[in-house]
């Protein structure tokens, strides 16, 4: 699962990526402009917040709401995760809904 949302009027220049359902206990870890959210018990990746997202993905400008990312855009986000020192990686949702 990969659901991404961008709402600059409310959240600022932040891309929110959800990779799993919420859990009662979560752990957040920030490095630079990247925040990784995991389940506190299992360590499962729940989501990632990318601050200054339009610098990473200029194509976000003018968008609002759910954003469908292609594999190249997800690769850019994975590069940002790696550069921030995180091992987690996102997987593009290539299924058509």
């Amino acid at each position: 699962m990969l659901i991404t949302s961008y709402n600059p009027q409310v959240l600022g220049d932040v891309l929110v990526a959800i990779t799993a359902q919420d859990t009662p206990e979560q752990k957040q870890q920030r490095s630079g402009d990247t925040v990784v959210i995991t389940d506190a018990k299992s360590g499962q990746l729940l989501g990632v917040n990318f601050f200054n997202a339009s610098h990473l993905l200029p194509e976000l400008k003018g968008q609002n709401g759910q954003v469908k990312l292609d594999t190249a855009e997800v690769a850019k986000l994975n590069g940002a995760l790696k550069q921030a020192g995180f091992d987690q990686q996102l997987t593009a949702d290539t299924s058509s809904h």
Side-chain angles (χ1 to χ4, degrees):
M1 172 172 86
L2 179 61
I3 300 169
T4 50
S5 178
Y6 185 70
N7 188 340
Q9 291 81 15
V10 175
L11 298 175
D13 190 12
V14 179
L15 179 71
V16 176
I18 300 167
T19 59
Q21 287 187 323
D22 243 358
T23 59
E25 296 181 40
Q26 300 175 3
K27 177 181 169 187
Q28 298 85 29
Q29 188 176 5
R30 183 172 184 154
S31 176
D33 285 340
T34 307
V35 177
V36 168
I37 302 141
T38 56
D39 178 81
K41 293 180 182 174
S42 70
Q44 177 190 13
L45 180 65
L46 302 176
V48 183
N49 295 336
F50 295 93
F51 291 85
N52 297 309
S54 65
H55 296 284
L56 188 60
L57 297 174
E59 52 270 36
L60 288 174
K61 292 188 181 195
Q63 294 203 36
N64 191 44
Q66 186 171 354
V67 179
K68 301 284 186 186
L69 300 176
D70 61 27
T71 53
E73 292 163 332
V74 171
K76 287 181 185 179
L77 296 178
N78 284 334
L81 279 164
K82 186 175 182 178
Q83 186 176 7
F86 294 110
D87 294 329
Q88 294 92 339
Q89 295 284 282
L90 302 174
T91 303
D93 184 359
T94 56
S95 64
S96 56
H97 294 66

